[in-house]
Amino acid sequence: MNFTETITKAAQQAEIKAEAKLKEIDRLIDENQWKVIEAFQKHQVSDFHFAGSTGYGYNDRGREVLDLVYADIFGAEAGLVRPHFVSGTHTISTALFGCLRPGDELVYITGRPYDTLHKVIGKPADGTGSLQDYGIHYGEVALTSAGKPDWEAIKERLTSRTTMVGIQRSRGYDWRPAFTVEEIGEMVRFVKNLYPGMIVFVDNCYGEFTELLEPTQAGVDLMAGSLIKNPGGGVASGGGYIVGRADLVEKAAYRLTAPGIGGEVGATLGTLRGMYQGLFLAPHTTGQAIKGSVFASAVFEDLGFDTHPRWQDTRTDLIQAIRFTGAEHLIAFVQGIQKASAVDAHVVPEPWDMPGYEHPVIMAAGTFIQGGSLELSADAPIREPYIAYMQGGLTYSHAKLGVLCALQNMVEKGLLQLD
Ligand SMILES: *Cc1c(COP(=O)(O)O)cnc(C)c1O
């Protein structure tokens, strides 16, 4: 490996500094690994569950058991795990459309949701079939300047006509902390204390297996996530999951397929083995990715950059935000991450207008699964204050090497001076 001496030294120092934190993540992996194994054992997962089905997919035992395994792992009544979800956005959209009706109201209490959800929420009468086009009302309560729930404002905004409260666990493209399961539990108690019948929904993308418990174990009614992030373990080739209260999961299933059909059909074709094996690997892989984020934060902080979270902070998602001083630094960082890939290292990512995003975005994604962001990847919307968001790494080594390649690329371009 031909990193400069200063870069190698910076890496060693960061690892020594963060040693206890990295060990702590190994213990988290052990606990979550056993939780997953126990759920597989309870449902006697066997080779025939991986076979898959065709056509209608009736009596696909592998699909049914995977729903049960997910429900157990997430401490939920029911699960809906399907390759038919095309992305995290589609999964979340299905959960929302499945459970909300015209005249209902959804209020996000963690500020503006993730970019790709803006068009799902839409505008009243926008003609796109968005939530608001269907007459579902929408509101959101901004976070405080410290990135925490604004309790007073939430109390003021919610009414007896609010049907569902939305919470985004991960920071997404925001310079704010992600919400721990404990904090989400606090939000649930606050909301249900005011309105016991309120449905609490969590966008759990990037959160799975980053802690010992999941939001559905802290009172959340419905939750969704993507299989090309944490719970797919880097192996599932696509799909999404919804877990939560059985009646709500059934409504989501009616939306995914058709009323009356729900989750009882849906050919899994050849996808089951990957979803099972990915779930088995997910605690480990998620842990590798978190260790990579801790490392990145430790190194960049030593070099004088602002990072969020800081290396020693408690983590509840994969994302590591690093603030740069200009667009060219951002671009050099992202291009450097790409250079460490096993896949597509020969291509140079450039900013582009991605569907669903409001600013040009540059993405490093040398991944086996297209867009798979449990794999080492970095995204940066090209807008002030020039923050790059990196996440993932199927192995800790790869995440570490990616960070070092990014540093080297910045040094070579004269954008960073070491010593
Ligand atoms: C990734 C993500 C989504 C959307 O997932 P896609 O697969 O990109 O559609 C939604 N919310 C959060 C917090 C995410 O991280």
Side-chain angles (χ1 to χ4, degrees):
M1 292 184 296
N2 36 11
F3 295 115
T4 65
E5 212 171 295
T6 34
I7 288 177
T8 308
K9 220 166 96 204
Q12 283 165 353
Q13 276 169 357
E15 258 185 336
I16 290 167
K17 182 172 76 175
E19 192 183 352
K21 196 74 199 169
L22 297 171
K23 285 236 169 77
E24 192 184 304
I25 299 161
D26 284 331
R27 289 192 291 274
L28 169 78
I29 294 171
D30 289 347
E31 296 261 355
N32 280 330
Q33 185 71 76
W34 187 242
K35 176 166 73 175
V36 168
I37 291 171
E38 271 190 316
F40 275 54
Q41 290 181 350
K42 178 180 162 191
H43 295 284
Q44 302 190 335
V45 172
S46 266
D47 184 57
F48 77 89
H49 289 119
F50 309 146
S53 55
T54 60
Y56 290 124
Y58 287 131
N59 305 315
D60 182 331
R61 196 57 195 149
R63 184 191 66 215
E64 291 166 2
V65 165
L66 188 60
D67 286 348
L68 298 173
V69 167
Y70 259 76
D72 278 350
I73 289 169
F74 288 92
E77 281 176 13
L80 182 73
V81 188
R82 291 294 182 279
H84 313 103
F85 289 119
V86 302
S87 65
T89 305
H90 180 213
T91 314
I92 293 164
S93 175
T94 304
L96 298 177
F97 272 104
C99 298
L100 293 165
R101 299 290 176 269
D104 283 355
E105 183 183 62
L106 165 69
V107 176
Y108 253 77
I109 61 169
T110 49
R112 198 126 184 75
Y114 194 77
D115 285 44
T116 60
L117 293 171
H118 298 177
K119 289 198 170 140
V120 173
I121 293 160
K123 300 262 180 332
D126 64 12
T128 65
S130 65
L131 288 170
Q132 295 204 77
D133 191 28
Y134 272 99
I136 294 157
H137 305 293
Y138 176 74
E140 61 194 29
V141 181
L143 296 169
T144 65
S145 54
K148 294 295 173 191
D150 188 338
W151 304 112
E152 271 312 304
I154 293 169
K155 193 170 171 182
E156 213 148 278
R157 181 62 187 78
L158 301 182
T159 73
S160 57
R161 291 202 309 275
T162 311
T163 326
M164 184 188 279
V165 154
I167 294 169
Q168 181 179 306
R169 179 178 181 180
S170 170
R171 73 204 60 237
Y173 284 152
D174 267 324
W175 189 267
R176 61 123 169 127
F179 295 111
T180 63
V181 172
E182 192 182 326
E183 289 173 305
I184 291 172
E186 207 180 320
M187 293 182 222
V188 172
R189 285 192 297 279
F190 183 82
V191 166
K192 299 223 178 202
N193 192 33
L194 295 170
Y195 303 101
M198 188 79 73
I199 300 168
V200 179
F201 169 78
V202 166
D203 169 356
N204 202 35
C205 283
Y206 283 133
E208 302 86 356
F209 303 117
T210 60
E211 292 193 57
L212 294 175
L213 292 177
E214 298 290 341
T216 28
Q217 292 166 300
V220 164
D221 301 293
L222 190 66
M223 189 163 86
S226 164
L227 297 200
I228 64 169
K229 293 180 179 170
N230 311 14
V235 172
S237 51
Y241 77 91
I242 295 173
V243 291
R245 250 169 55 190
D247 60 324
L248 301 175
V249 171
E250 181 172 57
K251 285 180 172 175
Y254 283 167
R255 173 74 193 192
L256 172 64
T257 61
I261 294 177
E264 286 169 40
V265 298
T268 47
L269 307 173
T271 61
L272 282 168
R273 187 186 307 276
M275 291 196 288
Y276 275 104
Q277 194 174 358
L279 181 60
F280 167 72
L281 288 170
H284 174 77
T285 317
T286 301
Q288 300 300 292
I290 303 173
K291 286 168 80 167
S293 288
V294 169
F295 174 79
S297 173
V299 171
F300 274 95
E301 192 184 293
D302 279 351
L303 299 174
F305 290 84
D306 269 349
T307 65
H308 205 318
R310 310 273 306 273
W311 66 271
Q312 68 274 51
D313 288 345
T314 302
R315 287 177 188 254
T316 190
D317 72 358
L318 299 189
I319 302 179
Q320 181 60 53
I322 303 162
R323 180 152 39 199
F324 293 95
T325 46
E328 64 278 26
H329 299 75
L330 206 59
I331 292 167
F333 171 82
V334 171
Q335 291 178 341
I337 293 277
Q338 183 85 18
K339 286 187 177 189
S341 304
V343 180
D344 282 337
H346 55 284
V347 303
V348 181
E350 296 288 347
W352 64 300
D353 290 309
M354 231 184 116
Y357 292 86
E358 281 162 12
H359 296 263
V361 179
I362 182 167
M363 293 190 163
T367 57
F368 290 89
I369 304 291
Q370 189 191 94
S373 46
L374 177 59
E375 299 184 55
L376 181 63
S377 48
D379 326 58
I382 308 296
R383 67 183 179 208
E384 281 192 88
Y386 303 119
I387 296 166
Y389 299 85
M390 67 159 274
Q391 62 272 317
L394 296 183
T395 69
Y396 173 51
S397 292
H398 180 208
K400 201 160 61 176
L401 294 168
V403 169
L404 300 185
C405 277
L407 282 175
Q408 183 114 331
N409 197 41
M410 292 174 74
V411 168
E412 282 169 7
K413 293 210 149 64
L415 298 166
L416 178 65
Q417 226 122 27
L418 299 180
D419 291 340

